[in-house]
Structures are given as structure tokens and as C-alpha cells.
Amino acid sequence: EVIKSDPKDAKAYFNRGLSKGKLGQHEEAIKDFDEAIEIDPKDAKTYFNRGLAKGKLGRYEEAIKDYDEAIEIYSKNNIKHIGAYYNRANASYKVEKYDDARKDYEIFIKSTQKYPEEPVYKYVPVNQYWLLSIINQEAYCSDYTKLNDPLECTFIRHQKNQFSRYLDNKDIHDHSKEITPRILALTSDRKSKLMY
């Protein structure tokens, strides 16, 4: 209905494309993303989601080109969209461009691995799962949209930084099963009462 009333509404095409992608109608979603890009060729998230749709159809070379566009536009706005690097790496791997895939995976890893200089603590129950986590040097990170505390992460979302933009990035939640923002709650104060 919105498109009927305004055939130049890029956001309407974009949102309809997202909806079609959720329904598994990837070819139709691509057509909507094409229309949105025709109207607004500077919207990085449309290229990103068109890349996702093309990847679902096995059109990896085309997907890579869309991720290239998305990364270039995001970079001009000083945003490092790690989802675009990760998905471009996966697409490159599928077409055996292993050097390109490795470079993107390294960017993704460096962007997500920030080790604190000071020790941090986590309150956990003593059970077999956490003992295995310690042995394997792994930690479970919860899907932040499914946390039981409704106030969790609200303080982050009010800050204008890369992490808050990532949490608000609807294309990741709505359209990609490969990347889900996850949270690991830590404290630098081992006696913190907030870490019940």
C-alpha cells in the first residue's frame, strides 16, 4: 500500500524485501532490494541484505559484490560493519577465494576480540558445563534479545557507539542466522553486588 501511494519510497521496498526474505522468497526479496537501490544507491544496509539473499540462493559472486558496496559505504561513514566482513568471508570461502576469506575473517576476529588489560570476573554456578567451559577456555554468551532481565543492555543502547549501533542493526536480527549479537556479563570488581 505504501509503494502504491509512493513508488519512490526506498524504505518501503527495503522493508518488503526483508519480509520476503523472512518468508524464504529470496528472488522476490532481491527484486525489492534492487528497487530500493535504484532509488537510494547510498544505503549500505540494502546492499548488505541483498547480499544475504543472494547468498541464500548460492549466488556467492554477486553476494560478494554487494558486501563490497556495503563495506565501502559503511567505511565512508566510519562504521566497521563486522557482519558484512563475516558474510563476505563466508561467500568467498564458498567460491574458493581462500585468501580473501582469510583476510575478512581476520578483520572480523580483530573487531570482536578485545582483551581487557585488567582481570574481569563472571559469577557462575559450579557445574559440569562451566567446568568444561574453563577446560576448553570458552564462555557461553547469551542472545541479548532473549535475556530474562528487561533492562539488560538498555544503558548500552543509549550510548552512540559501534556496539549500540550493532545491537540496533535490525538487518542482522531479522535476516541473518549466521550472526546474532550475544552478551557476556563481566565485572572488574570481583565483589560486585550487581553480579548476583
Side-chain angles (χ1 to χ4, degrees):
E1 290 300 320
V2 172
I3 290 167
K4 280 180 190 173
S5 64
D6 182 4
K8 294 293 182 186
D9 189 326
K11 190 138 186 100
Y13 284 106
F14 172 77
N15 287 324
R16 191 171 71 176
L18 285 181
S19 299
K20 288 176 179 176
K22 290 279 278 183
L23 295 169
Q25 300 169 5
H26 303 299
E27 288 286 4
E28 294 302 311
I30 290 167
K31 289 175 186 173
D32 277 337
F33 295 138
D34 289 344
E35 290 288 343
I37 288 168
E38 185 72 29
I39 298 162
D40 182 5
K42 301 289 186 192
D43 189 359
K45 67 181 178 293
T46 308
Y47 288 102
F48 176 79
N49 281 281
R50 189 172 71 176
L52 290 174
K54 288 176 178 176
K56 299 280 185 188
L57 296 171
R59 292 159 56 179
Y60 301 115
E61 293 283 4
E62 294 175 52
I64 289 167
K65 289 178 183 173
D66 279 336
Y67 296 133
D68 289 345
E69 286 289 337
I71 288 167
E72 185 177 340
I73 295 167
Y74 278 123
S75 296
K76 286 177 182 174
N77 293 305
N78 294 320
I79 297 170
K80 185 175 279 187
H81 191 295
I82 59 173
Y85 285 101
Y86 181 80
N87 285 299
R88 188 173 69 177
N90 289 338
S92 296
Y93 182 83
K94 294 283 189 183
V95 294
E96 300 181 359
K97 293 183 175 177
Y98 300 121
D99 285 340
D100 292 343
R102 180 181 52 76
K103 287 174 190 171
D104 279 342
Y105 283 133
E106 284 175 357
I107 291 169
F108 175 77
I109 290 166
K110 284 177 186 171
S111 298
T112 55
Q113 264 186 350
K114 300 249 191 279
Y115 295 109
E117 293 179 7
E118 298 296 322
V120 290
Y121 303 92
K122 170 84 180 154
Y123 286 21
V124 297
V126 178
N127 58 34
Q128 63 182 3
Y129 305 109
W130 276 100
L131 291 174
L132 280 173
S133 292
I134 293 167
I135 291 166
N136 295 325
Q137 297 185 0
E138 298 172 342
Y140 177 77
C141 299
S142 304
D143 179 340
Y144 102 101
T145 62
K146 297 178 182 174
L147 296 174
N148 61 0
D149 184 346
L151 297 178
E152 201 90 58
C153 298
T154 52
F155 71 98
I156 295 172
R157 298 178 73 115
H158 292 296
Q159 300 175 23
K160 298 300 177 192
N161 58 33
Q162 183 175 343
F163 188 60
S164 65
R165 285 195 299 270
Y166 183 65
L167 290 183
D168 284 331
N169 193 350
K170 299 298 188 295
D171 19 315
I172 289 176
H173 309 306
D174 292 348
H175 211 59
S176 171
K177 301 295 182 193
E178 293 165 337
I179 295 190
T180 303
R182 293 183 173 271
I183 298 295
L184 177 64
L186 302 167
T187 178
S188 56
D189 176 8
R190 66 186 179 88
K191 296 182 179 180
S192 171
K193 293 178 181 178
L194 294 174
M195 295 295 289
Y196 57 84

